[in-house]
Amino acid sequence: MSHSPQISYPNSVKIVEVGPRDGLQNESQTIALADKLQLIANLTDAGVQHVEAGSFVSPKWVPQMADSSSVFAQLPRKAGVTYSALTPNIKGLEAALAVNVDEVAIFGAASESFSQKNINCSIAESLKRFKPLMAMAQRHGIRVRGYVSCVLGCPYEGDISPTKVAQVSKALFDMGCYEISLGDTIGVGTPLKTQQLIETVRQALPTSKLAVHFHDTYGQALANILMALQHGIRVIDSAVAGLGGCPYAKGASGNIATEDVVYMLHGMGIETGIDLTKLIKAGKNIMTTLGRESHSKVAGALLTE
Ligand code: HMG
Ligand code: MG
């Protein structure tokens, strides 16, 4: 579909819903297993086709994800939906395989300090650690997604060079990740920086292998997503109700709300396969459980209509 001589947008975009993982991992209150399962069921009922449903990390580091094995064991799996999880090491992958996770993700960073704080090792060490994990996942026929954190700034180091992001992205891609999700972990990016980032990273790997993952701390995420779309990105990570944050990135607020992304895309004539009304209900339900207001502007507007 073409809207102007210069800019063309796709007919459809894939949404990777990360609320049950990126969203809930940062909650201080304990969330009942039944509430997690209900959230995931509500999301897939709304048409979400990829849900990051948990994380096989150290329960000492991220207590909120400690019941991920139970989440996957009890998921009401819907045909055609991919249920994925984060796995930082072999131990995590073994736990994920034991409960039939469809797909896993490894997560590195473009910032040394963030890598240390988040996964307790250097960038080089993390890449070394991911190799046997990748080999094991391939033996089991499991696809592996790769995350790169701090692509537009780091809570400890400030500015991050797009070249560094490109290097880490390429290392993960060359290792066998089928897609690289570029994470603006602390939501500091602005549109022209997003453009520069994508232009740099796509010299190292094809744009069709990239996804974007914006936290909305500074309210820039939708503008950045629009810029990413204009530069050929077709996969967007988001969290229902704008849930979330990263426990190892102080001040990082939630991901951009899926409702707001879907409203923008549908308004541009871009399909997502998601029913916005049902998605808003899924968001309202989890926020009622958490006892907080949604971060989604669209949910706020449509629920008061
Ligand atoms: P470590 O302490 O260096 O690891 O942590 P270790 O191998 O020395 O093990 C220490 C303990 O952890 C041992 O237990 C292990 O058994 C256990 P102990 O003997 O002390 O009782 N352990 C595990 N337990 C369960 N599952 C595992 C596992 N591995 C070790 N897989 C480690 C290294 C990577 C494990 C740790 O640093 C960790 O779990 N980090 C996870 C941090 C995290 O989950 N952060 C949030 C996700 S990333 C994110 O949000 C960013 C993203 O959204 C993109 C963006 O926004 O930019 C993806
Ligand atoms: Mg994140």
Side-chain angles (χ1 to χ4, degrees), residues 18 21-22 25 147 149 183-185 213-215 245-246 255:
V18 297
R21 192 283 301 173
D22 206 346
Q25 75 179 8
Y147 280 104
S149 284
D184 184 8
T185 319
H213 177 110
F214 289 106
H215 287 260
C246 176
N255 297 81

Side-chain angles (χ1 to χ4, degrees), residues 136-159:
M136 187 171 167
Q138 283 170 345
R139 281 200 302 279
H140 286 83
I142 298 279
R143 293 211 300 176
V144 181
R145 192 174 202 235
Y147 280 104
V148 182
S149 284
C150 298
V151 298
L152 288 163
C154 168
Y156 312 104
E157 293 181 14
D159 286 347

Side-chain angles (χ1 to χ4, degrees), residues 83-160:
Y83 298 92
S84 65
L86 297 191
T87 53
N89 51 22
I90 291 278
K91 189 178 168 83
L93 179 60
E94 283 170 349
L97 290 171
V99 288
N100 295 317
V101 169
D102 295 324
E103 183 180 306
V104 297
I106 52 181
F107 47 108
S111 147
E112 285 295 347
S113 316
F114 186 80
S115 183
Q116 288 291 350
K117 296 265 192 217
N118 196 41
I119 50 174
N120 206 22
C121 64
S122 67
I123 297 171
E125 177 62 29
S126 74
L127 295 172
K128 217 165 96 190
R129 239 180 238 183
F130 294 148
K131 279 189 183 148
L133 188 161
M134 178 66 70
M136 187 171 167
Q138 283 170 345
R139 281 200 302 279
H140 286 83
I142 298 279
R143 293 211 300 176
V144 181
R145 192 174 202 235
Y147 280 104
V148 182
S149 284
C150 298
V151 298
L152 288 163
C154 168
Y156 312 104
E157 293 181 14
D159 286 347
I160 294 293

Side-chain angles (χ1 to χ4, degrees), residues 153-223:
C154 168
Y156 312 104
E157 293 181 14
D159 286 347
I160 294 293
S161 136
T163 311
K164 184 72 198 170
V165 180
Q167 279 166 6
V168 178
S169 301
K170 184 167 168 31
L172 291 173
F173 183 66
D174 288 348
M175 206 185 283
C177 288
Y178 78 92
E179 181 172 281
I180 306 298
S181 178
L182 301 173
D184 184 8
T185 319
I186 53 169
V188 290
T190 45
L192 293 183
K193 285 193 175 156
T194 300
Q195 173 178 6
Q196 196 201 353
L197 174 72
I198 294 168
E199 282 175 349
T200 306
V201 177
R202 73 180 178 198
Q203 287 169 29
L205 62 157
T207 316
S208 60
K209 302 295 178 189
L210 296 175
V212 287
H213 177 110
F214 289 106
H215 287 260
D216 201 27
T217 323
Y218 289 81
Q220 304 297 301
L222 274 184

